[in-house]
Amino acid sequence: MPRSDQNSPAEVRVEERTLTFEGFVYHCRIVHQDNPKTEPLVLLGGSSQNRYAWLRHQKWLAEHCTMVTVDLPGYGEADFLPASHGLDFLADNVRRMLQELAMPEVNLVGSCFGGAIALRFAQRYPQYLAKLGLIGMTKAIPEDYAAAVPRWARMLELGNRSQLAAELVQRFMSPPGTGAVCKHQVVSRLLYTQFMAQSDEDIMKSVEHNTRLMSHDWYRDEPVPAVPTLVCTGEHDTLCPPATGREVAAALPAAAFMTIKHADHLAPVERMEEFCDLVVRFCTCRSLTALPYANPVEWVGTAPGPHVGPAPRDPGEAALARR
C-alpha cells in the first residue's frame, strides 16, 4: 500500500508494492523517474538493510533513473523465510519482482549479502541485466565470520544483545589503525543502535539468515554473461578486503574493480554522495578515471574486449562498447 516519505520532494512519485512468490509475501519500493538517463536501478542491500536503508541515497540516484529497493523474503518487513531457502530462491524473488514491475532490463547493484544474490541472479537470469554492480563482495564467507556464527547465535539465546551488537560493529567496521575512514565513529554508533533496536522478529530473521549463510553456497563457479560489471569496496574494508573483491572481478568476463578512498565495508554509508556518483557514472557509461574519491579503476575481466590491454580507452566508452 502507498507510503509517504517526508524526505521525498513533492514532485517525486513513490510507490510501494506487495508481492508474493511461492507463498511468501515481500515488499518493494519504487521511486519513479519519468525522464530516465538509464535503465531502472535495483538495489539489494546487506543482511541488516531493508528497503528504506537507501532513503538518503535517493536524492542523488533517483534524479537519473527509476530506483527500486526491496525487502526480500526473510528480511525487513517481508515474511520470515526458513533457512532451507537459499540464494537461488532469493534470486527467483528478484525475477518475480521485475516481472511484476514490467522491467525487462535493469541495472542491478548488490551490497555484501545483496551482492551474492545479485551475482546468483546474473547467473540465472542474465537477460534482465544492463549492468551489474557488486559492493563489498567476496567469493567465500570469511573464516572468522563463519566461526563466530554459533557464538553469536548463543548470545541471542542468552539475551546478550549488547555484547553481540558490539562484536558485529567490530566485525563490519575496520579496526582502529587500519586507515582513515570517513564518519567511522558516527557509522559505528548507528550500527550499534540499529542492532540494539531489533525486534524479536528481527532477531529471529537474523538467526535464520546466519543459518542460511552456513547452509548454502555463497559463491557458485558458474558462467556469468559478459555484462558490464563493477566490483568495488572501501579501500580499508577488513570484512571483505579489496583483494577478495579483485578476485571476484577477475573471475567475471567484463568486470572492473576499484576501491573508494577513506572507507571500509560500509562505504555506501560512509561516503554516500561519492558512492552514488560512482554508481550513476557506471550505469550511465561516464568516465570512471581520475575520480578524487576513488583509487584507479582496474579492468580485470576474463573476456577479451576494450577493457583489456595496457592502454584501455576511457572506461565509460569501454562500457558502452560492450553493450
Side-chain angles (χ1 to χ4, degrees):
M1 57 191 301
R3 173 171 177 153
S4 62
D5 296 302
Q6 294 181 350
N7 294 331
S8 299
E11 66 272 15
V12 172
R13 183 162 54 95
V14 179
E15 179 186 3
E16 294 270 358
R17 294 279 291 273
T18 297
L19 310 165
T20 304
F21 182 70
E22 295 192 3
F24 293 95
V25 175
Y26 60 114
H27 313 278
C28 68
R29 178 179 185 271
I30 310 102
V31 183
H32 292 276
Q33 172 53 255
D34 295 329
N35 298 294
K37 301 178 180 68
T38 184
E39 293 83 359
L41 172 63
V42 177
L43 292 160
L44 303 179
S47 56
S48 61
Q49 293 179 306
N50 60 32
R51 66 191 188 278
Y52 301 116
W54 304 95
L55 281 176
R56 294 180 62 194
H57 299 75
Q58 177 178 313
K59 64 180 178 180
W60 293 294
L61 297 175
E63 176 185 351
H64 303 275
C65 60
T66 292
M67 176 181 166
V68 181
T69 57
V70 57
D71 288 353
L72 291 171
Y75 305 90
E77 296 178 348
D79 282 352
F80 177 87
L81 183 69
S84 55
H85 294 78
L87 294 180
D88 293 287
F89 182 78
L90 293 169
D92 292 346
N93 276 267
V94 175
R95 183 197 186 199
R96 168 57 64 87
M97 178 182 73
L98 297 184
Q99 290 173 329
E100 292 289 329
L101 299 182
M103 294 181 176
E105 190 175 40
V106 299
N107 297 315
L108 180 63
V109 174
S111 177
C112 192
F113 181 65
I117 301 172
L119 183 53
R120 188 64 54 83
F121 181 90
Q123 292 172 323
R124 292 172 68 84
Y125 306 113
Q127 68 273 21
Y128 283 91
L129 294 183
K131 293 183 179 65
L132 174 66
L134 305 174
I135 317 301
M137 183 59 176
T138 177
K139 292 175 70 174
I141 297 174
E143 292 183 3
D144 57 345
Y145 186 99
V149 167
R151 186 177 73 254
W152 292 340
R154 181 60 176 161
M155 287 181 183
L156 289 176
E157 291 176 2
L158 297 174
N160 195 347
R161 291 194 187 186
S162 179
Q163 183 180 348
L164 174 59
E167 282 201 23
L168 289 172
V169 170
Q170 292 173 0
R171 195 64 195 87
F172 280 89
M173 305 290 296
S174 60
T178 304
V181 172
C182 293
K183 302 179 181 178
H184 189 280
Q185 292 185 352
V186 173
V187 174
S188 295
R189 289 195 298 269
L190 174 64
L191 278 184
Y192 182 85
T193 301
Q194 289 178 339
F195 288 137
M196 290 299 293
Q198 287 185 329
S199 66
D200 290 341
E201 182 180 2
D202 293 331
I203 294 296
M204 289 177 58
K205 289 178 179 178
S206 294
V207 172
E208 202 72 5
H209 166 76
N210 285 326
T211 303
R212 189 178 351 271
L213 289 184
M214 299 299 105
S215 306
H216 300 272
D217 48 350
W218 168 270
Y219 171 82
R220 188 177 293 164
D221 189 14
E222 293 182 351
V224 180
V227 58
T229 302
L230 177 63
V231 182
C232 77
T233 191
E235 64 178 352
H236 301 305
D237 188 341
T238 52
L239 179 62
C240 300
T244 66
R246 187 177 291 107
E247 182 184 15
V248 171
L252 305 177
F257 174 76
M258 62 195 311
T259 57
I260 298 174
K261 295 178 180 178
H262 307 307
D264 56 25
H265 192 69
L266 279 296
V269 181
E270 294 158 347
R271 305 213 65 181
M272 196 173 297
E273 183 175 1
E274 294 83 359
F275 168 78
C276 292
D277 180 71
L278 182 61
V279 169
V280 169
R281 283 177 174 274
F282 177 62
C283 291
T284 58
C285 301
R286 292 166 56 197
S287 175
L288 301 181
T289 59
L291 301 179
Y293 55 80
N295 292 301
V297 62
E298 307 169 34
W299 294 95
V300 296
T302 59
H307 61 287
V308 176
R313 294 182 295 170
D314 178 270
E317 294 178 352
L320 275 174
R322 289 196 296 278
R323 291 298 307 278

